Amino acid sequence: MKKSDTTAALREKGAEAVRLLALRYTDAECSLEYGGDPWRLLVMVRLAAQCTDARVNIVCQKMFPDIPDASTMADTPIEVIEGYIKSCGFYHDKAKSLKEFSRILVEKYDGRVPDTMEELLALPGIGRKTANLILGDVYGKGGVVTDTHCIRICGRLGFYPESLKEPAKVEKILDPLIEKAEQSNFCHRLVHFGREVCTARSPKCGECELAGICAHAQNKKGDAQ
């Protein structure tokens, strides 16, 4: 099969995965409760590194009333920030990032979160995964958010070998296969799907709507016969 034919087949699979997940999850929402505020989303995604979204939501429910915006965060002593976010883990580094990127946003962008990959990546502690989430959720520009659920599920579906775990390579592969307008919602739905069905240890292939297009499920079925 020619490479162009393979790409076309993967695009068809991508479109079908988007369709099936949209049927299961009509509402595609970020699990971080940021209230539509771009700066709060930036803060919460930084805190969510190696921490659960549920924990971040709890922490920020307590923190945001006292530190509601970039200007306040930039002026808050780092020890105070650390006190709020300690349970999120790696709190020294995270507090430093929050304070520093908030200062930059105030001084350079008048408190606004920038809308380009280059500007976002220039902020302390912000990587491509976070930048893509901001670009997709806040600015509607699309972006593949390569979290653990995305990497695991799309590998099982057969977009790339399941052994591939490198976020940058996964993003590069998926970006042309999933329509830009669908990327953000697709990734949010993958999070819910990964928690409920395509779990890390015991995927529920027998009750999975995507089994018909999933390489992992088909291989599993073949092994059982």
Side-chain angles (χ1 to χ4, degrees):
M1 183 179 289
K2 296 180 181 178
K3 183 177 179 181
S4 59
D5 294 333
T6 302
T7 301
L10 289 175
R11 283 177 177 161
E12 288 184 12
K13 176 181 285 195
E16 183 65 0
V18 166
R19 186 185 73 83
L20 292 171
L21 285 175
L23 289 175
R24 181 181 178 94
Y25 304 103
T26 54
D27 296 324
E29 297 181 350
C30 180
S31 54
L32 295 170
E33 299 167 358
Y34 67 101
D37 183 319
W39 172 78
R40 292 190 178 192
L41 180 58
L42 196 65
V43 168
M44 296 180 84
V45 178
R46 179 67 185 101
L47 292 178
Q50 297 177 287
C51 180
T52 66
D53 290 352
R55 167 55 53 186
V56 173
N57 286 334
I58 292 171
V59 166
C60 289
Q61 283 175 2
K62 296 179 179 179
M63 182 175 70
F64 284 151
D66 296 330
I67 308 177
D69 51 41
S71 179
T72 307
M73 180 70 81
D75 291 337
T76 299
I78 198 161
E79 296 81 6
V80 174
I81 301 172
E82 289 177 346
Y84 281 107
I85 70 171
K86 191 170 185 178
S87 64
C88 291
F90 302 96
Y91 63 97
H92 291 306
D93 288 340
K94 290 180 179 180
K96 184 178 179 181
S97 295
L98 300 186
K99 185 175 175 68
E100 184 61 14
F101 75 55
S102 293
R103 181 189 64 78
I104 293 172
L105 292 179
V106 171
E107 294 179 356
K108 189 172 181 179
Y109 299 100
D110 196 29
R112 181 184 65 86
V113 175
D115 62 353
T116 69
M117 176 65 74
E118 292 73 22
E119 290 174 306
L120 288 166
L121 291 180
L123 298 175
I126 303 303
R128 291 192 65 87
K129 182 174 76 172
T130 298
N132 276 322
L133 182 61
I134 295 294
L135 292 175
D137 276 31
V138 175
Y139 296 110
K141 295 185 175 183
V144 177
V145 181
T146 51
D147 63 7
T148 56
H149 297 292
C150 174
I151 293 172
R152 178 179 74 252
I153 296 169
C154 289
R156 286 175 176 171
L157 285 171
F159 289 110
Y160 44 81
E162 287 189 50
S163 58
L164 180 61
K165 303 297 181 183
E166 298 175 54
K169 290 184 178 180
V170 168
E171 180 190 343
K172 187 175 182 179
I173 292 170
L174 291 178
D175 185 56
L177 302 180
I178 306 297
E179 292 289 338
K180 280 287 185 184
E182 300 289 348
Q183 288 177 352
S184 182
N185 288 340
F186 178 67
C187 292
H188 286 320
R189 289 175 174 129
L190 286 177
V191 172
H192 297 296
F193 191 66
R195 290 171 178 167
E196 297 175 5
V197 181
C198 197
T199 57
R201 293 185 179 180
S202 303
K204 302 171 184 176
C205 298
E207 56 187 79
C208 176
E209 299 97 320
L210 275 65
I213 61 169
C214 178
H216 182 93
Q218 295 303 312
N219 291 336
K220 190 175 179 180
K221 183 178 180 181
D223 291 343
Q225 292 177 345

